[in-house]
Amino acid sequence: MKEVPIWEKSNLTLEEAAAYSGIGINKLRDLTSEQNCQFVLWVGSKCLIKRRLFDKFIEQEYSI
């Protein structure tokens, strides 16, 4: 099975998102647990991050 590069994936695990963004996993957990988080996708109890919306979020924020 061919490995898909992170920048080509539409959804990332917390570990992938941390490696992709340089933001720590604990901070990502805090962000994705917020009620109004636009870039989180829950698949059962698994948390995935919608990469494109995550990129837009990062571009708009001054600090997190």
Side-chain angles (χ1 to χ4, degrees):
M1 181 179 208
K2 182 182 175 192
E3 181 80 21
V4 178
I6 287 177
W7 58 88
E8 290 184 8
K9 292 184 175 185
S10 58
N11 299 305
L12 306 173
T13 64
L14 287 174
E15 293 79 10
E16 289 172 332
Y20 175 74
S21 66
I23 298 171
I25 290 176
N26 289 334
K27 186 61 174 181
L28 289 173
R29 280 193 185 103
D30 290 345
L31 291 171
T32 57
S33 67
E34 292 179 7
Q35 186 68 24
N36 61 346
C37 183
Q38 300 294 312
F39 57 84
V40 68
L41 173 66
W42 288 98
V43 181
S45 62
K46 184 176 183 178
C47 174
L48 295 176
I49 292 181
K50 301 173 190 176
R51 187 185 50 81
R52 290 181 200 96
L53 290 177
F54 184 53
D55 285 339
K56 287 181 183 178
F57 169 79
I58 291 171
E59 287 176 16
Q60 296 173 355
E61 294 300 308
Y62 175 75
S63 73
I64 55 173

